[in-house]
Amino acid sequence: MQSKMTENSNIEATGMSASIQPSSPPSGVRKNRSAVWDHFDVENATEKKAKCKYCGSLIQYGNGTSSMGGHLRRCKQNPNNDSNKRRKTTTTPTIDERGVLNSPSASKFDQEEARRALVEMFIGEELPFRFVESPKFRKFVHALQARFKVPSRTTLARDIGALYAEEKMKLRDFLSANCGRVCLTTDTWTSIQNFTYMNLTTNFVDLDWKLHKKILNFCQVTSHSGEVIGATIESCLNNWNLNRVFSVTVDNASSNDVAIKYLKQRLNSWNSIILNGEFIHMRCCAHIINLIVKEGLKEIDESVLRIRSAVKYVRSSPSRASRFQKCVELEKIQYKGLPCMDVETRWNSTYQMLEVALKHRKAFELLALKDNTYIGEMNGGKGRGVPSDSDWEYAESIVPFLRVFSDATIRVSGTLYVTSDMYIKEVFAIGRFIHHSCDSVDFSTMSMAERMRVKYEKYWGNPDSVNMLLLIAIVLNPMQKIEYVNYFLDYFFGEEKGGELKSKLSKCIKLLYQQYQSSGEASEADTQEVQANNINTNLHSMGFFLQATGRRTNIRSELDRYLQEECEPYSHKFDTLNWWKVNSTRFPILGNMAREVLAIPVSTVASESAFSTGGRVLDPYRSSLTPRMVEALVCTGDWLKEDLFSALDDDGEVLQQVDQDIFSSNDGACSMAASIDNLDDD
C-alpha cells in the first residue's frame, strides 16, 4: 500500500506478467510514475479517479496509487493476479462460534492482505495509532509472522485514508444502484476539544428488500445553529450525489426546525420533494419518550434516593462489594451480577438500577444485619437511612411502570428492522397506558402519570401534529392496512377529530401514490386507468358512455387492489419487507412507495450511537486527530462493522463467571490456567 514503490516492485506485488508492455502515461498523469498506471485509465482528472482496465471500477488516486494497487491485487478479473489464482487452490478460513480462526490448509503469506487486516483492526477496535509502534506489539507480530513488515503510525494513517476513500467509492456506487429517495437522521455533538461534529446517517431499503443503515458523514461544523446544520447537510448530500430525500429524523431542538425549513427549500429547488415537503420532518420518538419520563421522574421519591444510596455503598469499594456478595450467596440469589449505579440524568439507568436492586432485596436486608458500617453510613451524616419495606414496595410499583417506556424506546430505536410502521402504535399505546395510570389508587404512580400526561399532550395529543407518512407506513403493513388505522384514530381522537384525520390520510395516500405513479413504471391496470382518463376527443361519446354507465370504475389501481385484499394473518414473526419482496411484482408502483416509506427511521439513536459507543468515538487518543481523520475512522468503522465479539463484550454474566473462576483460588496462577483450559473446552 506504500506509494513510493518502484515499477518492478509494483509489478511483482500485483502478480503481473513481465510480458505486458507498459503503455504511455494517461493524460493528466506525469511520466515515470508507478507501473500500476499500466492497468488504469484516467476517468476524471478533476476528481482524480482512475478506471480499472479489467473490471471498470473507479478508484481515487488523490492520495497516491496505494488504493489502485490494492484494487489490482483483489480484482477478480485481473488475469495476472497471483493472489486470485492462489485463492482458487486454498480453502477459505472460517471463524467458529468462539471467534477462533480455523484454516484447514496453510495459505501463502500475503504482505498486502495482512496489512489491510491490520488497518481494519485499528479502525474496528479503535486503537491509538501509536500502538502500532509499541515494542510489545511488534514482538507479538514477529512471533506470528516474521516476514510481516509492521508499518509506522504515519504509514498506518495514510493506509486508513486510502481505505476510507476506497470504501466510500463502493458505498456511493451501491447507493446509486439501490436507492431512489433516502431517509436521513442527523444529530450534533461536541467533542472534548469543543469541536462540534454533525453525524449524518442514511436508512434505505435496497433492491433486494434489505434494510440498511450507513453513516454518510461525521464532519465538523462551526456551530449548532439551524442554518449551519442545514447547509452542511446540503453539502454532504451533494458530495454523495444524493438529491432525493424522503424524510429527515431529528430531535426536538429548535435549531432543527430551522435546518428542516432550509432543506425543504433546497429540495424544492431540486424538484425532488414529496407531498410538497409537508411531512419530511420526523421528530425522534425515543427523544420524546425520554422527555415524558423525565417529566414524570422530576420529583424523585425518597424511596429511590435511599435505594440509590444503598447501591452506591456496595459499589464504593472492593471490600464492601465482597461483603455484599457473601450476602447474595447466603440468600442463594440466582441472579448473576451486582446492582449498578445509575446516571441521575438518564432515567433508563435509574430503571435498570431499581430492577436489579429488587432482585437483591434480601441481600440488602441481610447486609443491614451483618454490616455495622453500612448501617452507620446510611443513617449518619447526610445519609437518608436504610431502605425500608415501603421503599422496596414503592420500587416494585414503579419498575413495571418504567419498563413500558424502556421497552418502547428499545423497539423504536432498532436499526435492523422496520420501525416506521410501529411509531404511531407505540404512541397510542403509551397514551393509553398514561391515561389508565392517572386513575391508579397508588398516589405516587398517579402523580407521576399526571405529570407525564401534560408532556404527552404537548407532543402527541394534538391531531394536527400527526405525521401522515407514519400512518401510511401502518397502511402498508399487510397485516393492518387502513381499517386498523381508522379504528384507532376514532378511539384516540374522537369521532370528529378522528374523522378529519381519516379524510386527511385517505387524501395523502392517494396523492403519494399518484406521485409515484407519474414518476415510475405503471402496471397494466394503471396503464388502462390512465388511458381511460385520456380518451381521444374524437371518441368523447365513448368516454361519456363509460362514465355514465360506471364501467370505468371497474378499472382498479394497485392501491385499490391492495387495500381491498384481505389482511395477512397476524404473527409476531411476520416479515413486512419479505412480503413486499414477494408481492412487488403484483404491485410495482406501490412496492416502490413501500420501499421508501418503510425505510423511515423514527429515532435518531442510529445517529447518536456514533457518539455513545462507550464514549470511545472521541476518546483521549482520538482527541488529537484532525476532524478529517476522525471522520475517516468513524465512517470506515461503520462501513466495515462486524459484530463477531459483541456478545461476549455485553455478556456481564459470562465475564463475572470468568472473573470468579480465575480469582476464586489462592493459587492464582493455577486457577487462571485452569480457567483458560475450561474456556478452550467450551
Side-chain angles (χ1 to χ4, degrees), residues 67-86:
S67 296
M68 298 161 62
H71 170 78
L72 282 179
R73 285 182 288 277
R74 294 184 297 274
C75 181
K76 295 181 179 180
Q77 299 184 32
N78 180 1
N80 305 296
N81 197 332
D82 291 338
S83 177
N84 284 332
K85 295 176 184 178
R86 181 167 62 253

Side-chain angles (χ1 to χ4, degrees), residues 427-444:
V427 169
F428 289 166
I430 289 173
R432 185 169 63 241
F433 178 76
I434 292 176
H435 177 75
H436 290 165
S437 298
C438 288
D439 298 328
S440 174
V441 295
D442 182 81
F443 177 77
S444 298

Side-chain angles (χ1 to χ4, degrees), residues 217 229-240 262-263 270:
N217 293 92
I229 297 300
T232 304
I233 294 175
E234 178 191 9
S235 175
C236 293
L237 292 175
N238 287 330
N239 181 260
W240 283 94
Y262 176 90
L263 281 176
W270 296 346

Side-chain angles (χ1 to χ4, degrees), residues 536-561:
N536 191 288
T537 53
N538 295 329
L539 300 176
H540 63 277
S541 58
M542 178 60 71
F544 176 78
F545 170 74
L546 291 174
Q547 186 173 5
T549 58
R551 297 190 182 186
R552 186 179 300 178
T553 60
N554 293 330
I555 302 174
R556 298 183 301 164
S557 68
E558 285 181 22
L559 179 60
D560 293 332
R561 286 188 284 116

Side-chain angles (χ1 to χ4, degrees), residues 333-362:
I333 297 174
Q334 298 299 317
Y335 183 81
K336 303 297 182 181
L338 298 179
C340 55
M341 281 297 299
D342 67 329
V343 180
E344 297 181 22
T345 57
R346 297 183 181 180
W347 69 267
N348 61 320
S349 68
T350 302
Y351 154 70
Q352 292 164 358
M353 178 197 70
L354 293 175
E355 185 179 44
V356 178
L358 281 170
K359 299 179 187 295
H360 294 84
R361 174 179 176 177
K362 291 184 177 180

